[in-house]
Amino acid sequence: EEAIAAHGRLCYGRERNASARGAGRIVCRPECPNALIEANPLYPAAKLRIDELNAEERAVYATLKPERLPQHVAIIMDGNGRWAGHRSLKRFLGHQQGANSVQLVTETASRIGLPWLTLYAFSLENNLRRPRAEVNFLMRLLRTYLESNLQRMMDNNVRMKYIGRTHELPAEVQEKMRWAEQATAGNTGTTLTLALNYGGRSELVDAFRGLADEMKQKHITPAHITEEDIHRHLYTAHMPDPDLLIRTSGEMRLSNYLLWQIAYTEIFVTERLWPDFKGIHLLEAIAEYQLRERRYGGLSDSVGEVEENPDQITIVAN
Ligand code: IPE
Ligand code: IPE
Ligand code: MG
């Protein structure tokens, strides 16, 4: 702590990886949720466990271009209630089956060496608008899920993280979350981030609050704010933006998920309900992603040089 006093100050969880180097820097405690996480190098061969995929998954994996795999896949896991409804079961059973899909998809992601997988498990609006009984069930399910799947996370070298206003969740849930996060902190494979009590707009509010505090302290004026400053204050400051966003159950909306981060993310919507979504469907979504051409507002590679001089073209008024 003496060294920190000389060269910087401790982050108590409010700053997000601000100024990592130099005097006056902010140093995260080891348990700090904001501690800088280095992205894993893209798909290091040593971490691939393709031999652990099942035969169907291996067949789809074989069609993928290894150099065009996404780094970060985000999923809106929707349709648990409908899955149960179609079977005349209670919604709870749909959620329980959905938890099973979480584990299977995570394990497939870890076998192909996907660095980042971010799952929308419970939104801020779910917390506010769903019946208390359902919310309580989801909280209990989350605790049980973490407890009973920790060994599998370890076996798959998965590191667990969370985004959202998790401090508003019940204390015993937070405790279990911290436990799983700490136990898996040393794992170097896929980082599984669960979005819990998460809302994209509330994330932006939290980011702007953090940024406003920083500006006040450092006497920065609004004209100097950059996109990078906003990025630094998001819950996801340590991750690349998602390359691919998957939504199950066919709804064509974002439901307040990662609003800032998905500016140029490829979106894949499937009618399949989340409890029916397995590792093979993740691989199929990645195959579809690889057919997309990402232009980021630029031009397609197939568009050659513009031949004519646009200055010579008469613009006709409509
Ligand atoms: C997604 O399934 C899981 C959560 C939002 C917690 P839903 O519960 O939204 O299922 P549907 O949309 O009602 O089918
Ligand atoms: C989005 O699903 C939230 C999660 C998957 C956790 P919802 O079921 O809450 O979304 P809406 O209400 O249909 O937009
Ligand atoms: Mg839903």
Side-chain angles (χ1 to χ4, degrees), residues 75-79 82 91 120-123 125-126 130 195 247 251 253-256:
I75 307 184
I76 302 175
M77 310 186 288
D78 198 14
R82 274 163 279 180
R91 294 177 57 80
Y120 204 3
F122 184 59
S123 73
E125 289 75 18
N126 293 152
R130 297 219 178 174
R247 182 167 187 146
E251 235 72 74
R253 56 175 171 259
L254 296 173
S255 302
N256 205 13

Side-chain angles (χ1 to χ4, degrees), residues 76-87 91 93-95 97-98 120 130 247-251 270-276:
I76 302 175
M77 310 186 288
D78 198 14
N80 294 351
R82 274 163 279 180
W83 184 92
H86 295 168
R87 290 164 178 74
R91 294 177 57 80
L93 289 165
H95 293 315
Q97 201 57 36
Y120 204 3
R130 297 219 178 174
R247 182 167 187 146
T248 58
S249 308
E251 235 72 74
T270 170
E271 289 295 326
R272 190 175 292 280
L273 306 173
W274 177 250
D276 291 329

Side-chain angles (χ1 to χ4, degrees), residues 276-307:
D276 291 329
F277 194 94
K278 303 280 145 66
I280 189 166
H281 307 115
L282 171 69
L283 297 174
E284 285 170 359
I286 293 175
E288 155 80 30
Y289 160 83
Q290 293 196 330
L291 301 175
R292 309 274 180 90
E293 185 187 30
R294 303 183 76 183
R295 290 194 288 273
Y296 301 97
L299 293 181
S300 163
D301 284 346
S302 60
V303 177
E305 282 295 298
V306 179
E307 284 160 18

Side-chain angles (χ1 to χ4, degrees), residues 22-285:
R25 75 198 187 287
I26 296 162
V27 183
C28 290
R29 290 175 175 280
E31 70 274 19
C32 175
N34 302 330
L36 193 70
I37 302 163
E38 298 291 342
N40 299 320
L42 187 58
Y43 300 100
K47 292 213 192 90
L48 292 180
R49 289 164 22 238
I50 302 309
D51 53 311
E52 293 178 32
L53 296 175
N54 64 37
E56 291 82 27
E57 287 175 332
R58 256 202 308 274
V60 180
Y61 183 81
T63 68
L64 300 179
K65 298 180 208 71
E67 71 285 2
R68 281 213 59 198
L69 289 167
Q71 278 224 56
H72 184 176
V73 176
I75 307 184
I76 302 175
M77 310 186 288
D78 198 14
N80 294 351
R82 274 163 279 180
W83 184 92
H86 295 168
R87 290 164 178 74
S88 307
L89 300 170
K90 300 268 188 229
R91 294 177 57 80
F92 308 120
L93 289 165
H95 293 315
Q96 208 163 339
Q97 201 57 36
N100 192 37
S101 291
V102 170
Q103 195 55 32
L104 295 175
V105 168
T106 301
E107 290 178 10
T108 298
S110 81
R111 289 175 181 135
I112 66 162
L114 178 75
W116 306 96
L117 177 66
T118 303
L119 304 180
Y120 204 3
F122 184 59
S123 73
L124 205 106
E125 289 75 18
N126 293 152
N127 199 6
L128 292 173
R129 303 198 178 127
R130 297 219 178 174
R132 229 48 236 165
E134 179 164 344
V135 169
N136 292 342
F137 179 85
L138 287 168
M139 293 298 105
R140 203 150 58 80
L141 180 63
L142 175 61
R143 273 166 59 197
T144 314
Y145 173 79
L146 293 173
E147 201 166 288
S148 52
N149 286 289
L150 186 86
Q151 190 54 51
R152 286 175 71 164
M153 296 298 184
M154 298 306 288
D155 295 345
N156 284 279
N157 198 17
V158 171
R159 176 173 55 169
M160 297 203 61
K161 289 263 156 202
Y162 314 97
I163 53 171
R165 289 189 175 163
T166 53
H167 56 278
E168 292 171 358
L169 295 173
E172 56 289 4
V173 174
Q174 290 187 52
E175 204 175 299
K176 196 55 81 187
M177 286 164 60
R178 256 194 307 274
W179 168 79
E181 183 173 14
Q182 281 166 6
T184 59
N187 291 344
T188 54
T190 299
T191 297
L192 169 65
T193 303
L194 299 181
L196 293 165
N197 201 31
Y198 174 88
R201 287 185 171 181
S202 64
E203 176 181 29
L204 289 171
V205 169
D206 290 347
F208 296 157
R209 284 178 181 162
L211 181 56
D213 275 352
E214 186 190 317
M215 288 169 64
K216 204 163 137 195
Q217 276 177 32
K218 296 187 181 168
H219 307 288
I220 299 168
T221 56
H224 288 93
I225 299 174
T226 62
E227 290 187 8
E228 180 49 37
D229 289 324
I230 293 170
H231 167 85
R232 272 193 302 110
H233 287 273
L234 296 172
Y235 306 147
T236 56
H238 56 285
M239 303 185 206
D241 288 340
D243 300 296
L244 171 63
L245 172 72
I246 299 170
R247 182 167 187 146
T248 58
S249 308
E251 235 72 74
M252 298 282 187
R253 56 175 171 259
L254 296 173
S255 302
N256 205 13
Y257 196 38
L258 300 173
L259 297 180
W260 174 277
Q261 296 88 338
I262 56 167
Y264 274 104
T265 299
E266 295 297 326
I267 300 175
F268 176 86
V269 178
T270 170
E271 289 295 326
R272 190 175 292 280
L273 306 173
W274 177 250
D276 291 329
F277 194 94
K278 303 280 145 66
I280 189 166
H281 307 115
L282 171 69
L283 297 174
E284 285 170 359

